[in-house]
Amino acid sequence: MEPHNDTQISEFLLLGFSEEPELQPLIFGLFLSMYLITVFGNLLIILLVISDSHLHTPMYFFLSNLSFVDICFTSTTIPKMLWNIKTQSKVITYEGCIAQIYFFILSAVLDIFLLTVMAYDRFVAICHPLYYTVIMNPRLCVLLVMVSWIVCILNSLLQSLMLLKLSFCTDVKVPHFFCDLSQMIQLACSDTFLNNMVMYFASVLWGGGPLAGILYSYSKIVSSIHKISSSQGKYKAFTTCASHLLIVSLFFCTSLGVYLSSAATHGSQSSATASVMYTAVTPMLNPFIYSLRNKDIKGAMKRFFVMESLKRPIILGLERCPWLL
């Protein structure tokens, strides 16, 4: 039977990774663990930055924003997939699909913007250390984050509204574990030329532009580190940006890997599997990279847990002896 235009499509089917029932508990357990680690790890980073005065610097202000966006990023896709596995249903409503695309694009592009802003922060810190506090003042930091949010909101809103104008065929099976914009455009029966043009243009603009900025910043950083005479000074300068460089490499390499994988195999299933790297694995690893490789975060973590351990007996003592209050 030939597919026909149907503008009244009310739901789609997310095919996920596998149709085999015996694999569903394994997939559920794996992604639930990854999601919980991501949420609690990034929440810990946010809590440490808020509570510890030693972390009230531009770099950690941007890091806390990145952690918040990473939580939103994974919360856009994984909870729905877990719910579908739990209820043994693959259905997502039309409205839910559009909302998922909107927040996915918003979080993904915002991640890129914040990584770019963090690269600029490291560039100023290493290349212009004497003017760092003057250039990276609180007003500029807030402005950079606000501009990033506004641009990303407008970009995701534009692409989501353009998707609303498309009509879809009776084949509503999405070969992915979430509503991916490119997959949805492929399912449309109406003319998708403008949607494809906007999608590719946005990918080049919001992906290539920030990447060029990051590469330029790190080229200047490497040049400045090379000019430092002492090996200890070089090591200290490198460690201030090592964690960020690792996260940037992880994010862009996994994103590039997904693109090359889908282009080489032309298989949506392999693309869905590869996309796990930047939608779930990268946000999960970010807190570990910053906590294991960053002395400031490790110090803040120790102070936080020491304070919590000291507060507990005091609170218990006050509860047992209320007359002391």
Side-chain angles (χ1 to χ4, degrees):
M1 183 177 178
E2 289 296 324
H4 61 278
N5 285 354
D6 186 3
T7 56
Q8 302 301 317
I9 290 293
S10 60
E11 60 186 32
F12 296 93
L13 298 178
L14 299 175
L15 299 184
F17 296 102
S18 174
E19 299 282 347
E20 299 179 18
E22 60 271 15
L23 290 179
Q24 300 308 308
L26 176 63
I27 295 173
F28 182 87
L30 178 63
F31 277 87
L32 178 62
S33 302
M34 292 170 65
Y35 180 66
L36 292 176
I37 292 171
T38 300
V39 171
F40 288 117
N42 283 288
L43 279 177
L44 180 60
I45 294 291
I46 295 171
L47 183 61
L48 290 175
V49 173
I50 292 173
S51 61
D52 197 302
S53 59
H54 295 86
L55 301 182
H56 292 174
T57 62
M59 181 175 74
Y60 296 110
F61 171 69
F62 297 135
L63 176 61
S64 63
N65 279 272
L66 181 67
S67 295
F68 174 74
V69 174
D70 280 341
I71 293 173
C72 297
F73 194 24
T74 53
S75 298
T76 302
T77 57
I78 295 181
K80 177 58 181 174
M81 185 192 69
L82 295 176
W83 176 256
N84 283 358
I85 295 174
K86 183 69 176 177
T87 58
Q88 297 182 355
S89 170
K90 298 180 181 296
V91 174
I92 183 171
T93 63
Y94 177 80
E95 294 79 8
C97 195
I98 297 297
Q100 195 175 64
I101 289 173
Y102 173 80
F103 286 108
F104 181 84
I105 295 173
L106 172 63
S107 303
V109 179
L110 196 51
D111 246 358
I112 297 172
F113 272 50
L114 288 174
L115 289 173
T116 308
V117 169
M118 292 172 75
Y120 175 71
D121 172 74
R122 293 299 82 205
F123 161 73
V124 176
I126 294 174
C127 299
H128 306 284
L130 298 178
Y131 300 99
Y132 178 72
T133 55
V134 177
I135 297 173
M136 300 303 297
N137 57 77
R139 184 179 178 182
L140 178 63
C141 294
V142 173
L143 183 63
L144 288 172
V145 172
M146 284 183 63
V147 170
S148 298
W149 272 96
I150 292 170
V151 172
C152 293
I153 287 172
L154 293 176
N155 171 62
S156 55
L157 187 62
L158 171 64
Q159 300 205 51
S160 300
L161 290 176
M162 289 185 65
L163 193 62
L164 288 173
K165 295 183 178 181
L166 298 179
S167 59
F168 293 91
C169 306
T170 52
D171 182 14
V172 292
K173 295 179 180 179
V174 182
H176 222 299
F177 66 96
F178 65 93
C179 288
D180 181 63
L181 179 62
S182 60
Q183 295 291 340
M184 297 302 296
I185 292 175
Q186 290 178 24
L187 289 177
C189 290
S190 53
D191 182 26
T192 60
F193 175 76
L194 187 59
N195 294 77
N196 280 314
M197 286 297 294
V198 172
M199 181 179 67
Y200 291 131
F201 178 76
S203 299
V204 172
L205 181 63
W206 307 131
L211 180 59
I214 291 171
L215 292 176
Y216 175 79
S217 296
Y218 273 101
S219 67
K220 292 295 184 180
I221 288 171
V222 170
S223 177
S224 295
I225 292 176
H226 183 70
K227 293 177 182 177
I228 299 174
S229 56
S230 66
S231 57
Q232 186 178 0
K234 288 182 178 180
Y235 176 78
K236 186 177 180 181
F238 177 75
T239 53
T240 61
C241 59
S243 298
H244 176 259
L245 183 59
L246 188 56
I247 289 175
V248 168
S249 303
L250 190 62
F251 184 87
F252 280 99
C253 288
T254 52
S255 300
L256 182 62
V258 170
Y259 174 77
L260 294 177
S261 173
S262 59
T265 61
H266 300 285
S268 301
Q269 203 71 28
S270 61
S271 176
T273 305
S275 65
V276 174
M277 287 302 297
Y278 75 91
T279 57
V281 175
T282 302
M284 179 186 70
L285 293 179
N286 285 356
F288 289 100
I289 292 172
Y290 266 97
S291 60
L292 294 177
R293 296 187 58 85
N294 191 291
K295 292 182 180 179
D296 293 334
I297 293 289
K298 287 193 285 188
M301 203 175 295
K302 289 179 183 178
R303 288 189 292 271
F304 176 77
F305 287 113
V306 167
M307 288 299 296
E308 288 298 315
S309 63
L310 290 175
K311 285 180 183 178
R312 194 171 293 117
I314 294 173
I315 294 172
L316 290 174
L318 292 175
E319 287 176 350
R320 292 175 182 175
C321 307
W323 60 83
L324 294 175
L325 296 173

